[in-house]
Amino acid sequence: MELTGAQAVIRSLEEEGVEVIFGHPGGAILPAYDPILDSPVRHILARHEQGAGHMAEGYAHATGRVGVALVTSGPGGTNLVTALADAHMDSVPIVAITGQVPTGAVGGDAFQEADITGITMPVTKHNEMIDNPERIAGAVKEAFHIASTGRPGPVLLDIPKDVLNARFAFSYPDRLSLPGYKPTLRGHGRMVREAAREILNARRPVIYAGGGIIKANAHEELRTLAELASLPVVTTLMARGAFPDSHPQCLGMPGMHGHWTAVTAMQKADLLIALGARFDDRVTGNLASFAPGARVIHVDIDPAEIGKNRDPDVPIVGDCRVVIAQLVDALETLLTDPGVTSDRGSVLEDWWRTLRTWSREHPLRYEQPSDGPLKPQQVIAAIGERLGGDGIVVSGVGQHQMWASQHIRYEQPRRWINSGGLGAMGFCVPAAIGAKVGRPDTTVVGIDGDGSFQMTLQELATARTEGVPVIYCVINNGALGMVRQWQELFYERRFSSIDLGFEVPDLVKLAEAFGCAGFRCERPDDIGSTLDKAFAVGELPVVVDFRVDPEEKVFPMVPAGASNDSIVESAEEWYAQVGSPAPVPGGAGEPGGAGVPDHLREGNAV
Ligand SMILES: Cc1ncc(C[n+]2csc(CCOP(=O)(O)OP(=O)(O)O)c2C)c(N)n1
Ligand SMILES: [Mg+2]
């Protein structure tokens, strides 16, 4: 069948089962926009290419399928870079297609030319400029395969305009030929048996579950393993929901703002079973003092992760779902040995007693005075209760993100979506649109910061015009709160360029200007009724302006680069160690705060 290159692109997407494209047109990609009119594939017009990229990511996070973004050359591609980098850091399967100037003009600084394959080389799993139309179908097929298999990630295809316009005989390949690309799925048998023995020998084991569990759809296997061997589980920021928060063996989130018990359990563990996790600095704190007494089993599909930050005692390259099932088999075999106690709970009794005591003594803490300012944690907890384990929560980046991870219970995978590795403000508004498009029957709540919201709020227009009713709850502290928190703690309250104010923009009027419903809540007593109104809207996107206390800080906290042993649970504990807070500029207060002891100083290690 004879098609143009552009028709071949859209046909190839149809062949891959794509139901929706998030994009924004322009000169070089124009030919590809014409056949969309005749295709069953839905196109969602983002107002900014970064938005299109994050929408594709949100869609992929929520559905487990590949998200697709389509943009033009030059600024279209460069605007997409943040989303690609985010997808690369968080292993999100997306395929981006960019238009390019005609082949003959490449390299000549033509209008809207950018070397997008060069620019995105370090932030894509694979990219390619397609130089002839016959290559389109094969390249698309490979792109979807590479994006979604092994360690998932972004793939970019750059297609010059003359290639899009050329006519040729199209056929879709039914086979792939990628001889150099064969991700290892099955773990090495001897290593798996070794890991099973380590698990039985351990007295203070902890499963360190990372985002790879969700990517591999391994949550059921994880649960089987944890229950079989009575193992405590921590779920990282990228793995919230991979193991139910309500499960008695769940210790919560580790890391810089993790639960005290999760952080400390890892520090005191004699065995860490790292499953699809990458020993990120936000989890380990100072690497040299991280989990000093622990032996390490590290399971990851990406061989480059093994030993990157921490040398494992038992390295296993493989897909989490496959390897955990192998581990369960190996453990079951060992447990039939008459010399081995099959009641692992009794073997780990001391450890569990300690963990339970810690959990009781070190809950997350905050106080909501009934007549005082609205506390962000209270708002977020109320949203979580309203969702009751159903619904998808998408966040921006900052304090609100940490509170949304801490104060909402996640019971299932793909219910918590955020920008973890890159920490890209602006993620929430578009990613929530992508999630809702992928899961239209599920309530999608965006929990955003006032700063993050202002980076991509123009996508409210997309949500409204495309009929995507996300409920955005802006945790409005009038500030770049997380930066403010660091300036308070590490720069003696010398607040520099963090003030956003509450009034500009007026979020309720802004919502209305975009044809969305807008509400405001300023008092603790009004949280419930405001959420009632927001959840009752139904058809339209909603923006709720929750005006919260700017003084509130995220605790627990391990200062960047410090040891996880220096975890601080509250502002009171912090100031008990460093001296009273420095005076609020222009306000009352005792001088002090300059005496930050060495172990709480912000390190240089990120
Ligand atoms: C694109 C981008 N720029 C800058 C930062 C640095 N940064 C991290 S958190 C933060 C403040 C976020 O403010 P807001 O969205 O209001 O969230 P809050 O911390 O107040 O809850 C900033 C500027 C970032 N993460 N991403
Ligand atoms: Mg803020």
Side-chain angles (χ1 to χ4, degrees), residues 23 269 305 368 594 597:
E305 285 300 341
Q368 173 64 72

Side-chain angles (χ1 to χ4, degrees), residues 50 82 396-401 403 422-426 448-453 455 475 477-484 500:
Q50 181 187 355
T82 298
V397 169
Q399 292 180 309
H400 63 282
Q401 173 190 25
W403 288 315
L422 194 67
M425 290 169 70
D448 213 352
D450 45 329
S452 298
F453 186 72
M455 287 208 176
I475 306 302
N477 52 10
L480 300 171
M482 188 58 98
V483 179
R484 185 184 191 281
L500 300 174

Side-chain angles (χ1 to χ4, degrees), residues 231-247:
L231 301 165
V233 180
V234 304
T235 50
T236 68
L237 183 68
M238 294 313 294
R240 307 282 296 121
F243 190 74
D245 274 331
S246 61
H247 195 289

Side-chain angles (χ1 to χ4, degrees), residues 68-397:
V68 179
L70 183 69
V71 304
T72 195
S73 65
T78 55
N79 274 349
L80 198 63
V81 171
T82 298
L84 293 169
D86 186 68
H88 195 245
M89 287 287 256
D90 286 349
S91 308
V92 187
I94 62 172
V95 169
I97 297 175
T98 49
Q100 181 55 281
V101 300
T103 322
V106 168
D109 297 335
F111 177 63
Q112 293 193 328
E113 180 181 4
D115 174 8
I116 201 67
T117 48
I119 289 169
T120 63
M121 181 85 78
V123 294
T124 48
K125 185 172 172 186
H126 172 69
N127 72 22
E128 176 178 346
M129 192 199 279
I130 296 176
D131 60 4
N132 87 72
E134 264 101 40
R135 174 71 193 129
I136 290 174
V140 171
K141 193 172 181 69
E142 287 166 19
F144 276 77
H145 181 71
I146 292 170
S148 60
T149 55
R151 179 181 186 160
V155 177
L156 179 138
L157 300 177
D158 192 31
I159 316 183
K161 193 167 185 179
D162 55 319
V163 176
L164 290 171
N165 282 329
R167 298 192 77 83
F168 73 110
F170 173 85
S171 70
Y172 203 68
D174 40 36
R175 278 190 202 195
L176 281 163
S177 168
L178 287 170
Y181 177 76
K182 285 225 165 31
T184 304
L185 301 182
R186 244 187 116 63
H188 189 287
R190 191 167 55 77
M191 285 297 161
V192 171
R193 286 193 296 280
E194 183 63 33
R197 274 193 292 274
E198 291 274 357
I199 291 174
L200 294 187
N201 287 337
R203 291 299 170 265
R204 295 186 311 282
V206 174
I207 291 181
Y208 161 26
I213 296 284
I214 294 174
K215 302 296 172 346
N217 293 315
H219 54 284
E220 280 167 17
E221 286 75 6
L222 170 64
R223 188 172 178 150
T224 306
L225 172 68
E227 289 179 352
L228 176 67
S230 216
L231 301 165
V233 180
V234 304
T235 50
T236 68
L237 183 68
M238 294 313 294
R240 307 282 296 121
F243 190 74
D245 274 331
S246 61
H247 195 289
Q249 287 167 236
C250 190
L251 305 183
M253 178 171 76
M256 178 179 274
H257 293 298
H259 295 81
W260 193 95
T261 303
V263 174
T264 308
M266 290 176 97
Q267 284 305 93
K268 305 290 182 207
D270 66 352
L271 177 68
L272 287 183
I273 306 151
L275 304 173
R278 60 184 176 87
F279 295 85
D280 172 56
D281 58 79
R282 285 301 185 262
V283 167
T284 64
N286 175 280
L287 199 55
S289 56
F290 172 64
R295 291 175 64 74
V296 171
I297 299 168
H298 192 176
V299 179
D300 205 287
I301 194 145
D302 183 354
E305 285 300 341
I306 309 274
K308 186 182 81 178
N309 292 332
R310 169 86 175 232
D311 277 332
D313 299 279
V314 185
I316 304 178
V317 175
D319 175 82
C320 272
R321 188 171 181 182
V322 177
V323 176
I324 297 172
Q326 286 178 274
L327 252 180
V328 167
D329 281 350
L331 273 170
E332 278 172 343
T333 308
L334 290 179
L335 288 172
T336 57
D337 189 322
V340 176
T341 316
S342 60
D343 179 3
R344 303 313 296 170
S346 69
V347 178
L348 301 179
E349 208 180 315
D350 284 353
W351 184 223
W352 271 113
R353 194 175 309 117
T354 306
L355 295 172
R356 300 231 183 283
T357 309
W358 286 347
S359 289
R360 229 182 7 259
E361 290 176 356
H362 298 276
L364 293 172
R365 294 187 222 157
Y366 71 92
E367 252 174 67
Q368 173 64 72
S370 57
D371 53 349
L374 193 55
K375 293 292 178 177
Q377 300 96 323
Q378 181 83 0
V379 174
I380 287 167
I383 295 168
E385 275 160 33
R386 183 70 52 137
L387 290 172
D390 274 338
I392 294 176
V393 176
V394 184
S395 84
V397 169

